[in-house]
Amino acid sequence: MNGGLTIANAILVDPVGGIKTGSLAVSKDRIAAKAPDGAETIDAKGAHLAPGIVDLGVFSVDKAACIAGGITRVALMPDLSPPLDDPGLVQRSALAAKPDLWVHPLAAATRRLEGRELAEYALMVRAGARAVATGRSQVADSGVMHRVLAYAASQGLTVIAHAEDEGLVRNAVATSGETASRLGLPSAPARAEAMAIARDLALVEETGAAIHFRQVTTARGLALIRAAKTQGHRVTCGITPAHVFLSDIAVTDFRTFARLSPPLRSEADRQACLEAIADGTIDVLCSAHDPRGPEAKRLPFADAEPGMAGAETLLALGLGLVRDGLIDLPRLMAMLSANPARIIGVEGGSLGEGAAADLMLFDPDAPWIIDGSRFAGQAGNTPFDMLPTQGKVLKTIKGGRPLG
C-alpha cells in the first residue's frame, strides 16, 4: 500500500517545526496536505510521529534491525569485502535493500581502503555514492589525505573521516588509563583522536573541503571541532550512544561487546561529550551498526573484533538525552535525521508538505529491557545488553508504506 495514508491522533515531532498534536497525510510517497480518497488510516493513539532515522555510517545492510529501530535510510561504510571502490559494487549496494530501506553507499576514499591510491569518485557518484569515507581507519599519509579532500571538494562531496592517528593506535584495543593498565590491554592515548582531527582540519583549511568526523569521543577532539566551526570551516561530527553513556570501565570484565573503535573513553571525556551534545558541537547521533557473530566476539578481549549492533537501540538510548534534560525532542530528531541527511545530501528529517514520507511512529515512554538475544537483526552484540530502558519504535514507514 502506498496510494495514501493518514496517521491520526499523533504527536508530531519535526526537527524544524517543533512539536504539535494532530494528523499527517501521505499521498503516494510524499507528505501531503490531504490524503487521497480511500486512503488507509492509522490511529496513532497519542504516539509520537517523527521523520525516519538517517543512520550515518553503518557497516552492514541489516534490514530487519533498521525496521525495528525506525531507520529508513542508512549511509553504508565502504568497509565491505571487497571494499566499495568500484562503481559496480556501489550500484549493487545501493539496490541491496529495496524496497524496504534506502541504502546510500559511501565510496572508498582510496583503492581497497589501503590509504595509498585514490579511488575514482566521479564514477562512483554516478553509480549512487553520496560521500567519500576513509573506512574504519585514518588515511595515514598526509599527502594522500590532502588529495582525498581536494578531489572530494571538486566533486562536491563530504569526506567521512575516522579520527585516530594510525601510528598511535595500530595495535591498541583500549584507551590508555587505569582500566587498560589494570587489565593489561594494549592501549593508545586518547590524544590520538585530537592528533588526527588537527591534521585533517589543517588540510580542510587548505582545500576548503567539507569533512564529517564520524565519531568524536574526547574533550581535546571536541575542542578542535568547536574551534573549527567558530572559524567557519565546513566541519561536522557524530557520536554513538555507547560513547555517550559508557566509559572505559565497561570493559572491566573483558566484555568483548564493549570492544569498540574508537574505544570507550575515560569518564572525563564522556562528560565532555555530553557538554558537546548540549552546546551543539556534536551534530549527529549514529548507531555505528556493526553486527558481529560469536566467531568475532567470543574471543579474548584483545583478539575480538571491534563493533556493536546499535540500530535497534539508537532511538531508545537517544531519548535518554531528552529525559536527562540535555536536549529537547526536536533537537534529538535533528541529530538522528535532518543533520545526517544534510551531510550526505539526501532527503530526510522533515515532516513538511512535499517531504519524503519516511517516518517512524514511537512511544517514548514504553519500558523494555535491551536483550541482544532477542534482536531482530543479524546479531546481538550490544554493550547495553540487559539494560532497562524506555522508548520503543511502534512502526517504521518508508515511502508512505508501513513496514513489518
Side-chain angles (χ1 to χ4, degrees):
M1 196 293 303
N2 62 356
L5 180 67
T6 297
I7 304 169
N9 304 316
I11 299 174
L12 309 175
V13 185
D14 188 286
V16 177
I19 300 175
K20 64 181 181 182
T21 301
S23 300
L24 185 136
V26 173
S27 179
K28 295 184 178 176
D29 61 351
R30 298 276 149 186
I31 296 172
K34 184 176 181 296
D37 293 342
E40 179 185 352
T41 296
I42 294 175
D43 187 348
K45 300 178 180 176
H48 288 56
L49 184 65
I53 294 173
V54 181
D55 199 0
L56 205 175
V58 304
F59 292 88
S60 172
V61 179
D62 192 344
K63 193 163 62 173
C66 290
I67 292 172
I71 296 166
T72 51
R73 294 176 186 263
V74 296
L76 178 65
M77 294 293 286
D79 311 64
L80 305 185
S81 181
L84 297 181
D85 64 354
D86 174 84
L89 297 171
V90 168
Q91 189 172 37
R92 279 200 291 277
S93 296
L95 300 174
K98 280 193 171 184
D100 294 334
L101 178 68
W102 294 102
V103 178
H104 303 295
L106 304 177
T110 58
R111 294 195 186 280
R112 298 175 292 282
L113 290 170
E114 292 176 344
R116 292 196 288 266
E117 182 184 358
L118 265 59
E120 181 46 74
Y121 303 165
L123 294 178
M124 288 193 282
V125 167
R126 284 189 214 121
R130 303 302 308 195
V132 173
T134 67
R136 296 181 188 274
S137 58
Q138 180 200 36
V139 173
D141 187 307
S142 299
V144 175
M145 189 60 180
H146 183 272
R147 292 197 291 278
V148 166
L149 289 164
Y151 188 14
S154 73
Q155 298 295 317
L157 297 169
T158 298
V159 174
I160 314 293
H162 183 86
E164 286 186 293
D165 184 276
E166 278 298 292
L168 285 174
V169 303
R170 189 162 293 121
N171 299 312
V173 300
T175 198
S176 297
E178 182 184 338
T179 301
S181 298
R182 184 160 42 81
L183 300 179
L185 295 173
S187 64
R191 190 184 292 266
E193 181 177 278
M195 290 175 65
I197 291 172
R199 185 205 67 172
D200 286 352
L201 288 178
L203 296 175
V204 163
E205 191 172 348
E206 179 76 16
T207 59
I211 192 166
H212 174 76
F213 294 100
R214 191 169 58 87
Q215 296 181 60
V216 180
T217 58
T218 66
R220 288 178 184 275
L222 290 163
L224 290 170
I225 300 289
R226 194 175 287 118
K229 287 187 171 189
T230 302
Q231 294 163 12
H233 296 305
R234 300 164 67 195
V235 178
T236 53
C237 70
I239 197 168
T240 72
H243 294 93
V244 172
F245 292 112
L246 301 175
S247 70
D248 59 348
I249 293 174
V251 308
T252 294
D253 295 330
F254 297 102
R255 293 176 61 209
T256 57
F257 282 7
R259 165 92 164 85
L260 307 177
S261 175
L264 295 173
R265 303 298 190 183
S266 68
E267 179 60 19
D269 278 327
R270 190 183 79 84
Q271 291 297 326
C273 293
L274 292 172
E275 292 174 15
I277 288 173
D279 71 14
T281 301
I282 294 177
D283 307 89
V284 170
L285 189 67
C286 63
S287 76
H289 188 65
D290 194 1
R292 300 276 190 171
E295 71 285 354
K297 285 294 188 183
R298 200 169 293 165
L299 294 169
F301 190 89
D303 297 329
E305 297 289 339
M308 62 181 168
E312 296 179 52
T313 56
L314 179 58
L315 174 69
L317 295 168
L319 287 167
L321 300 171
V322 178
R323 284 192 291 273
D324 291 345
L326 216 64
I327 54 176
D328 61 18
L329 203 46
R331 161 83 175 139
L332 174 64
M333 294 307 151
M335 294 179 71
L336 291 172
S337 59
N339 292 350
R342 173 174 48 81
I343 289 167
I344 60 171
V346 300
E347 288 190 287
S350 173
L351 294 183
E353 187 178 339
D358 298 332
L359 308 162
M360 65 171 169
L361 195 63
F362 66 96
D363 179 349
D365 300 316
W368 60 294
I369 294 176
I370 296 172
D371 181 352
S373 68
R374 302 182 68 178
F375 278 0
Q378 296 169 357
N381 53 305
T382 168
F384 297 101
D385 203 26
M386 306 315 293
L387 177 77
T389 189
Q390 282 179 266
K392 193 77 175 173
V393 173
L394 304 175
K395 194 170 286 295
T396 301
I397 298 167
K398 188 247 184 187
R401 188 169 62 93
L403 304 175

PDB file of all heavy atoms in Angstrom, residues 142 163 178 214 218 247 263:
ATOM      1  N   SER A 142      49.638  11.964   4.921  1.00  0.00           N
ATOM      2  CA  SER A 142      49.031  13.299   4.830  1.00  0.00           C
ATOM      3  C   SER A 142      48.902  13.784   3.392  1.00  0.00           C
ATOM      4  O   SER A 142      47.939  14.484   3.045  1.00  0.00           O
ATOM      5  CB  SER A 142      49.863  14.303   5.640  1.00  0.00           C
ATOM      6  OG  SER A 142      49.901  13.929   6.997  1.00  0.00           O
ATOM      7  N   ALA A 163      38.785   9.285  12.975  1.00  0.00           N
ATOM      8  CA  ALA A 163      39.716  10.194  13.647  1.00  0.00           C
ATOM      9  C   ALA A 163      40.528   9.487  14.717  1.00  0.00           C
ATOM     10  O   ALA A 163      40.237   9.579  15.915  1.00  0.00           O
ATOM     11  CB  ALA A 163      38.947  11.373  14.247  1.00  0.00           C
ATOM     12  N   GLU A 178      43.774   3.912  33.686  1.00  0.00           N
ATOM     13  CA  GLU A 178      43.815   2.943  34.778  1.00  0.00           C
ATOM     14  C   GLU A 178      43.226   1.593  34.370  1.00  0.00           C
ATOM     15  O   GLU A 178      43.773   0.535  34.686  1.00  0.00           O
ATOM     16  CB  GLU A 178      43.060   3.507  35.987  1.00  0.00           C
ATOM     17  CG  GLU A 178      43.082   2.579  37.186  1.00  0.00           C
ATOM     18  CD  GLU A 178      42.246   3.126  38.333  1.00  0.00           C
ATOM     19  OE1 GLU A 178      42.009   4.350  38.356  1.00  0.00           O
ATOM     20  OE2 GLU A 178      41.840   2.331  39.195  1.00  0.00           O
ATOM     21  N   ARG A 214      33.182  10.929  11.800  1.00  0.00           N
ATOM     22  CA  ARG A 214      32.060  10.024  12.098  1.00  0.00           C
ATOM     23  C   ARG A 214      31.833   9.865  13.590  1.00  0.00           C
ATOM     24  O   ARG A 214      30.703   9.825  14.043  1.00  0.00           O
ATOM     25  CB  ARG A 214      32.322   8.663  11.438  1.00  0.00           C
ATOM     26  CG  ARG A 214      31.144   7.717  11.449  1.00  0.00           C
ATOM     27  CD  ARG A 214      31.411   6.525  10.556  1.00  0.00           C
ATOM     28  NE  ARG A 214      32.603   5.803  10.955  1.00  0.00           N
ATOM     29  CZ  ARG A 214      32.632   4.835  11.873  1.00  0.00           C
ATOM     30  NH1 ARG A 214      31.516   4.465  12.468  1.00  0.00           N
ATOM     31  NH2 ARG A 214      33.755   4.222  12.176  1.00  0.00           N
ATOM     32  N   THR A 218      36.489  12.554  22.507  1.00  0.00           N
ATOM     33  CA  THR A 218      37.387  13.079  23.544  1.00  0.00           C
ATOM     34  C   THR A 218      37.229  14.584  23.695  1.00  0.00           C
ATOM     35  O   THR A 218      36.846  15.280  22.748  1.00  0.00           O
ATOM     36  CB  THR A 218      38.861  12.775  23.211  1.00  0.00           C
ATOM     37  OG1 THR A 218      39.231  13.497  22.024  1.00  0.00           O
ATOM     38  CG2 THR A 218      39.093  11.285  23.004  1.00  0.00           C
ATOM     39  N   SER A 247      31.739   4.487  29.800  1.00  0.00           N
ATOM     40  CA  SER A 247      33.158   4.854  29.848  1.00  0.00           C
ATOM     41  C   SER A 247      33.988   3.579  29.758  1.00  0.00           C
ATOM     42  O   SER A 247      33.441   2.464  29.651  1.00  0.00           O
ATOM     43  CB  SER A 247      33.472   5.602  31.140  1.00  0.00           C
ATOM     44  OG  SER A 247      33.401   4.719  32.238  1.00  0.00           O
ATOM     45  N   PRO A 263      37.795   3.310  20.991  1.00  0.00           N
ATOM     46  CA  PRO A 263      37.460   2.623  22.235  1.00  0.00           C
ATOM     47  C   PRO A 263      36.666   3.516  23.172  1.00  0.00           C
ATOM     48  O   PRO A 263      36.638   4.743  23.014  1.00  0.00           O
ATOM     49  CB  PRO A 263      38.838   2.295  22.826  1.00  0.00           C
ATOM     50  CG  PRO A 263      39.739   3.351  22.286  1.00  0.00           C
ATOM     51  CD  PRO A 263      39.239   3.638  20.901  1.00  0.00           C
TER      52      PRO A 263
END
